[in-house]
Amino acid sequence: MKPIFLELRHLKTLLALKETGSVSLAAKRVYLTQSALSHQIKLLEDQYGLPLFERKTQPLHFTAAGERLIQLANEIMPKVIEAERDLARVKQGDAGELRIAVECHTCFDWLMPAMDSFRKHWPLVELDIVSGFHTDAVGLLLSHRADWAVVQEVEENPGIVYKPLFSYEMVGLCAKDHPLAAKDIWQAEDFIDQTLITYPVPDDMLDLLRKVLHPKGINPTRRTSELTIAIIQLVASKRGIAALPFWAAKPYLDRGYIVARKITDQGLHSNLYAAFREADAQVAFVDDFYETVKAQSFSTLPELSVLEEN
């Protein structure tokens, strides 16, 4: 058999397996088919004569050999990424401005850590958040009032590039002693006589309304709040129910303040994309911010799914 030498792509694959705990999710992370990823790993295992992880565990359990290669990947890949950043700085310069606009109230839960990480690598890039919540973040890009945006939908806009960030599950939230706490899965009809607590945004930006309730003609009583913690407090005191991203609710679920339930049999899944001007697509720090946000999100947020490019 022709020797298989350890390559950077192998290390990237192993890190994806470690972070996702799943062959199928890791394959999407590194843009391979599941069979291609499995073949890649099998060649490595044949080369070393050792299994790298146990196939029938969930999440994947790495063997001692697999953990050693993971350790190597954790040592090498940051150095490779930093070297690539250095080359980009030499080619394009290391200064600029990146103004960020967001369409979701809970984005700051994961965006701020990513910004902190980015600043360490690009200290001369002026990084800022465009003040306030924006219902037309793409409009800010087109008018050059923002340079990078987090959006929920991909729209046809000449001059705008969209790249996938991740998919996540929205969960229904209620007090522990609320009648709906007895149900594992909430259907659209369960919302009819409830007070729904949401952020103060247009209905077409709320996936629960747009995807689940409005198609069935259901429009529950509404109460709004700007702050996630305020929504949680209202839910815990039985003033209503809510639907939030699992990552936003998890700290309060862990403390037992509220309970979470699946919305519809299929679950309610939402997507987030990065958007920026096509003219900036080749700017090194713009691309690196995208990669930083994506990597930071998958390493710190629970229950994310890979979102493929359209």
Side-chain angles (χ1 to χ4, degrees), residues 276-298:
F276 44 87
R277 289 182 295 274
E278 187 175 8
D280 296 332
Q282 301 306 314
V283 176
F285 63 77
V286 172
D287 182 65
D288 192 58
F289 185 68
Y290 167 74
E291 295 296 338
T292 300
V293 167
K294 196 169 181 181
Q296 185 82 22
S297 300
F298 276 98

Side-chain angles (χ1 to χ4, degrees), residues 17 20-25 54-61 303:
L17 285 166
T20 63
S22 161
V23 172
S24 60
L25 292 178
E54 298 175 10
R55 260 59 176 182
K56 295 183 179 181
T57 58
Q58 188 64 32
L60 294 176
H61 176 72
E303 306 294 333

Side-chain angles (χ1 to χ4, degrees), residues 7-291:
E7 302 176 14
L8 292 179
R9 64 190 178 98
H10 298 140
L11 299 182
K12 290 179 180 178
T13 295
L14 289 169
L15 285 178
L17 285 166
K18 183 70 172 181
E19 291 176 1
T20 63
S22 161
V23 172
S24 60
L25 292 178
K28 292 181 179 180
R29 285 282 297 274
V30 295
Y31 302 103
L32 292 174
T33 64
Q34 187 169 334
S35 60
L37 184 144
S38 297
H39 181 66
Q40 186 184 111
I41 295 298
K42 184 66 166 58
L43 289 176
L44 280 178
E45 291 179 324
D46 290 344
Q47 170 71 16
Y48 295 116
L50 292 166
L52 298 182
F53 58 85
E54 298 175 10
R55 260 59 176 182
K56 295 183 179 181
T57 58
Q58 188 64 32
L60 294 176
H61 176 72
F62 281 80
T63 63
E67 289 291 354
R68 181 61 185 90
L69 291 182
I70 292 294
Q71 179 186 355
L72 176 66
N74 283 326
E75 293 171 355
I76 289 179
M77 290 312 301
K79 296 179 181 179
V80 171
I81 293 170
E82 185 59 33
E84 290 175 340
R85 287 191 181 107
D86 288 341
L87 294 176
R89 292 186 187 102
V90 171
K91 182 178 181 180
Q92 298 185 0
D94 59 358
E97 182 180 33
L98 196 59
R99 297 161 297 171
I100 303 162
V102 298
E103 280 188 357
C104 64
H105 284 75
T106 55
C107 288
F108 297 104
D109 292 351
W110 50 265
L111 188 57
M112 297 303 291
M115 292 173 67
D116 287 341
S117 177
F118 177 83
R119 286 189 183 99
K120 296 175 184 177
H121 303 295
W122 298 89
L124 298 183
V125 173
E126 186 177 343
L127 196 60
D128 196 11
I129 293 179
V130 180
S131 179
F133 169 81
H134 302 281
T135 58
D136 184 19
V138 172
L140 295 177
L141 297 177
L142 293 171
S143 62
H144 288 261
R145 289 178 290 165
D147 308 297
W148 205 92
V150 179
V151 299
Q152 296 173 298
E153 298 289 334
V154 172
E155 301 175 355
E156 291 296 329
N157 285 291
I160 299 297
V161 173
Y162 295 89
K163 297 188 74 173
L165 288 172
F166 50 80
S167 177
Y168 61 94
E169 185 170 7
M170 299 284 291
V171 292
L173 304 174
C174 68
K176 293 183 290 185
D177 57 348
H178 191 284
L180 284 178
K183 298 192 64 172
D184 292 331
I185 301 174
W186 296 357
Q187 305 297 344
E189 292 75 16
D190 291 317
F191 290 84
I192 291 176
D193 297 323
Q194 303 297 325
T195 295
L196 180 63
I197 305 168
T198 71
Y199 298 108
V201 300
D203 285 2
D204 61 3
M205 297 188 71
L206 295 171
D207 282 352
L208 173 64
L209 294 173
R210 185 167 55 89
K211 296 179 179 180
V212 178
L213 302 186
H214 284 178
K216 293 200 171 185
I218 297 171
N219 191 22
T221 301
R222 209 81 52 83
R223 180 169 180 173
T224 63
S225 176
E226 290 275 1
L227 301 176
T228 301
I229 182 61
I231 291 176
I232 297 296
Q233 288 174 340
L234 289 169
V235 168
S237 59
K238 298 176 69 173
R239 302 294 180 87
I241 61 175
L244 291 177
F246 178 72
W247 84 71
K250 189 174 186 303
Y252 309 102
L253 297 170
D254 290 343
R255 294 183 180 95
Y257 295 161
I258 52 174
V259 296
R261 297 294 181 259
K262 187 176 181 179
I263 300 174
T264 77
D265 295 336
Q266 296 75 33
L268 175 56
H269 298 276
S270 300
N271 304 324
L272 287 178
Y273 301 85
F276 44 87
R277 289 182 295 274
E278 187 175 8
D280 296 332
Q282 301 306 314
V283 176
F285 63 77
V286 172
D287 182 65
D288 192 58
F289 185 68
Y290 167 74
E291 295 296 338

